[in-house]
Structures are given as C-alpha cells and as structure tokens.
Amino acid sequence: MSQIVRGVVAKTKGDPVTVENIVIPEPGPGEAVVAVKACGVCHTDLHYREGAINDDFPFLLGHEAAGTIEAVGDNVEDVVPGDFVIINWRAVCGQCRSCLRGQTHLCFNTHNAKQAMRLESNGAKLSAALGIGALAEKTLVAAGQCTKVDAAVPPTVAGLLGCGVMAGIGAAINTGGVAQGKSVAVFGCGCVGNAAILGANLAGALTIIGVDIDDRKLECAKSFGATHTINSSTDNPVENIKELTGGYGVDVAIDAVGLPDTFKQAFAARDLAGTVVLVGVPHPEATIELPFIEIFSRGGAIKPSWYGDCLPSRDFPMLASLYLQERLNLDGFVSETIDLDNIEEAFRKMTQGDVLRSVAVI
C-alpha cells in the first residue's frame, strides 16, 4: 500500500524549496522503502534547486542519508526490514563490462528504483536527487542502494558516508593513492575537502596542506589532520606549496572545489609524476585551458574521482567501524542539526561558509 510522507521539494528553478506531501508507492521487485533518520544538506542539493544538474523539475531533494529498512519488494535478499542502512547512489549491477572485469566501483549500469514518487497535490512525478530523494520522512530506492552498517553509528554521521565524506576520503585513498609518507594538497576545505584531508591523514600522509579562502575552514582542516594551511586569498598557493615541499610540489593535489582556477592551481602544485584528482563538481558549462606541453612533461596522472571511486558494500561498513573505534572523526563534520523546514536556511549557511554540514534529523 502506498503512503504519504513529508519531503523537501524544489518545484521550479531557483525558487525556495518547500515541504510537500509525497506519495511513496509500495516497493516493487528489487526495491525498498527506507524510513529516513537523518540526511545531510549537500551542495549538490543546491545545484539541483538551481537547475545546474538538469531541468527535470520537480526534484525531491536529499541524498546523504541513513535510516531503517521499513519494507522490501520481491527478490530482495541482502537487506530486511529493521536493518540500519546508509543509502548510496551507485547500486552496482554486477553484469556490465566494468563489473565483469572486477571494477565494480566503476559500474556502467548503476540503477535506482523503477517506480516514481509523486506529489500528492497534483500527482506530478518527482525526480529523486541522485536517485535517492532522502530529505523526506521516507523514500523509495533500489534495494542495492541500501548498505547495511552497524546500528551503533549515529544516523547523523552515518548518512554523511553516503556522499560528501565518502567522496573526500575516497578521492584521497582510492583515486589519489595517498599512502604513508606522501605529500598532499587539498584545494577547498568544505565537507568534501576536509574529508580528503581526513583520508590522507588516515592513510599516513606526512605532509597535508589545506588551501581555502576562509580562515574558519582552514581551522577545521587542522582538526582533520592538515599539517599546514594556506589562505589563497592572501597568499600564492602554488608558491607556498612548493616552499613546503622542498621546491618540488606535492605527490597528490586534490581539487575539492571544481573551478577552473582551483584545478589549474592543483595542476601546477604537483610534483613531477604527481597526481591531480578532481572531486569537486564543475559547472556543466565550465571549460579549462592548460599548456599541452605541461600535461606531457610533468607526467603522472589527472584523475576525476566519481563518488571517491568507492564500493559502498566494502567501504561504508569499514568506515563505520573505524568511527566506532574512534579512529575516524565524523562528528567534526556535523555543524548543526535541523528539521525539514529549515533547508533554505541551511543552503544560506552553506553558501556563506558558516557550516561544514547541516544535518536534517527526521
């Protein structure tokens, strides 16, 4: 039987979001209904509201969430009602050419729920943000999007592993290959950037440099493991990074902003044979120009990091366990807890740099 719940909806491009009644269908084959316990407010949600992802309005926002399985459809075996799960936005198929060659984290056929959630008021089909739509009391997803973790992890921090924190940690470890003794620079010290710093610290990097234009974020970066910080509004980050690394540059430079200027800085700040990782989401119309000879002569690699190149079934439980062992500072990302009626204010605080994450508790 379908049910009606409250959810945060972006109806038209650029307009403030509203809390609406949402119709959640009974789960069909391969689907699950999750009672959402907490959901982070991510910059990607604001991108959806602004039409920077696509024009498939109305959107049901939210994708960085944890909750409890309420019901499952036929042919679902990995989760059962009552399981505590983190919702991921890359349910792997296991059958595409990437999965079959053992690269399931790059699955080319990830999937979401087949049925649509709808507005109660007019029956309009909702586009769920990243196939999740979790700024709501409940949501319908593909069962493969539900990753079971230890229920001892508070939902407020567990949900962050579903997007921003996983993206940052994965950008450092999975994509960038940060390891013991390496040097790392992270451009942009918001949630994803600080998670990259945390990941580099976890991996044993010797030098970890945080770069931002906001001193508040740079202070946060120190708490996650940055050994040095640079305010790029007053200092030249490339020159400073080279000074801190014997004139060479870093082994891994991570752009967690996704602007052409920050990417160019990351590119210029790496050592010979170093790696540049792009995890910040660029605007669809943004372009970049680099000296072609520099791409060739520096060697190394330029790597985009999609979801931190994670495999949720492997990475989420591991990171949840590290949190419970007090080896992973997830609490430091939660700046405030709010309810569903305060999402617009959370967007304002996010754009002004007042928070790392506002987390809606549901």
Side-chain angles (χ1 to χ4, degrees), residues 58-83:
F59 291 109
L60 176 59
L61 299 184
H63 59 277
E64 199 174 69
T68 303
I69 299 288
E70 181 181 88
V72 298
D74 294 338
N75 305 322
V76 174
E77 298 177 355
D78 291 340
V79 291
V80 298
D83 283 349

Side-chain angles (χ1 to χ4, degrees), residues 252-275:
V252 182
I254 300 172
D255 177 6
V257 181
L259 293 175
D261 285 346
T262 53
F263 186 85
K264 288 178 182 178
Q265 290 171 350
F267 179 82
R270 68 186 176 119
D271 195 359
L272 289 173
T275 298

Side-chain angles (χ1 to χ4, degrees), residues 104-145:
T104 48
H105 65 288
L106 298 177
C107 175
F108 298 145
N109 193 29
T110 57
H111 54 282
N112 308 124
K114 289 185 170 61
Q115 299 183 88
M117 295 176 280
R118 297 181 180 273
L119 283 172
E120 183 196 29
S121 59
N122 59 11
K125 176 182 175 180
L126 289 162
S127 299
L130 291 176
I132 293 176
L135 277 170
E137 294 166 335
K138 299 177 184 180
T139 190
L140 177 78
V141 293
Q145 294 179 261

Side-chain angles (χ1 to χ4, degrees), residues 17 39-50 61-64 135 160 163-164 189-192 212-214 216-217 333 335-336 338 342-359:
V17 299
C39 183
V41 181
C42 177
H43 214 108
T44 303
D45 294 307
L46 183 58
H47 287 331
Y48 273 106
R49 195 201 72 174
E50 295 302 301
L61 299 184
H63 59 277
E64 199 174 69
L135 277 170
L160 302 184
C163 186
C189 297
C191 180
V192 174
D212 204 286
I213 60 173
D214 189 329
R216 296 171 298 175
K217 292 183 178 180
F333 290 97
S335 304
E336 62 173 1
I338 60 174
N342 295 112
I343 303 305
E344 276 296 325
E345 177 64 10
F347 283 154
R348 185 192 67 80
K349 291 179 179 179
M350 179 174 60
T351 55
Q352 293 186 352
D354 295 337
V355 294
L356 282 182
R357 268 301 183 267
S358 301
V359 178

Side-chain angles (χ1 to χ4, degrees), residues 155-187:
T156 48
V157 297
L160 302 184
L161 294 176
C163 186
V165 171
M166 184 69 257
I169 291 176
I173 298 176
N174 297 336
T175 312
V178 176
Q180 290 180 334
K182 295 284 189 177
S183 57
V184 182
V186 177
F187 292 78

